[in-house]
Amino acid sequence: MIFKRLFNLFAMGVLLFTICVAPSTKVAAADPSAQPAQKIAVAQALPAPGTYKIDPDHSFAYFGARHHVVGLVRGRFDKVAGTITASQDLAACSVDVTIDVSSINTQISERDEDLRSPVYFDVKRFPTMTYHGRGIRRVDGGSWTMDGSLTMHGVTKVVPLTFTFNGAFSDVKPGRPARMAFHGSAGLKRADFGMGARDNLEELGGLMTTDVEIEIDVEADANSPTQ
C-alpha cells in the first residue's frame, strides 16, 4: 500500500519539469572570484534564455517510495506536460508542469488500479497534479533549486526541486527548434498530501525524514525568446 503513497511524491512534476535556468554570463559575473575555467563550466550549465516546451514522449518522472521503512518501491508517471522559462533575471525563471495521475505505472496493473482508487490518488476527483514555481537560486556551479508549489490530491505544499542543465542537443535537424535536457530531484512525505494514512501508521512508523524520492529527466524544445 505504501507504494501508492510514494507515487504522490513525484508530482512534482513535475516535473520536470522545474528546470528553469539563467544565462551563464549573468551568473559568472555574480562571482568575481571565478576563474576562466569556472566561468566556462557555469556557461555550460545554463541554457539560453527563452521558453521551452516539455516533450512528453521524452520526459519521465520516476519515484522511489519507502516500504516498511527499509524497502523501496519504484514507479513512474507516463504523461507529463508543461513549459520551462529561462531568463537572465533568476527571479523570473519559472516552471509550469501538469501530470496525468491516471498514467501512474508500477508495472503491476492490480496495484496501479488500487493507487488510482479513492484510497490513494482518487483520480476521478483529482485527475491531475501540478507543479508551479518561479525564481531559482544556485546551489553550486552546476546545480540550482526552485521552491515550487506541488498540488496533489487536493493539497498544495511547497516542494523544493534541485536540478541541473544537461546540455543542448548537437544534432538537431535544420528548421527544428533547439532542444535541451535537464535532470531534477526532490523529496517529500506522502502524509503531507493526505494520502495513505494506513500505510503511514503500519509501514513508516515514526520515520520523520522524506519517504518518497523523485527523479525527473526532461527534454524540452525552444519555443520563443524572452525579453
Side-chain angles (χ1 to χ4, degrees), residues 50 59 66 72 164 172 196 218:
S59 298
R66 284 296 156 195
L72 187 69
T164 56
V172 176
V218 174

Side-chain angles (χ1 to χ4, degrees), residues 24-34 39 90 138:
S24 59
T25 54
K26 179 85 172 183
V27 176
D31 184 3
S33 64
K39 293 181 179 180
L90 299 184
R138 186 170 64 176

Side-chain angles (χ1 to χ4, degrees), residues 85-123:
T85 299
S87 171
Q88 292 185 354
D89 179 3
L90 299 184
C93 291
S94 64
V95 61
D96 294 280
V97 176
T98 298
I99 298 171
D100 181 347
V101 181
S102 67
S103 71
I104 192 168
N105 183 356
T106 64
Q107 300 185 333
I108 302 295
S109 60
E110 182 177 356
R111 179 169 60 203
D112 293 344
E113 285 305 315
D114 190 32
L115 291 172
R116 296 183 185 108
S117 76
V119 177
Y120 292 96
F121 283 99
D122 197 357
V123 298

Side-chain angles (χ1 to χ4, degrees), residues 204-223:
L204 298 178
L207 186 65
M208 300 302 293
T209 58
T210 57
D211 50 65
V212 177
E213 298 301 323
I214 300 166
E215 295 288 330
I216 303 169
D217 286 290
V218 174
E219 290 184 18
D221 294 325
N223 185 12

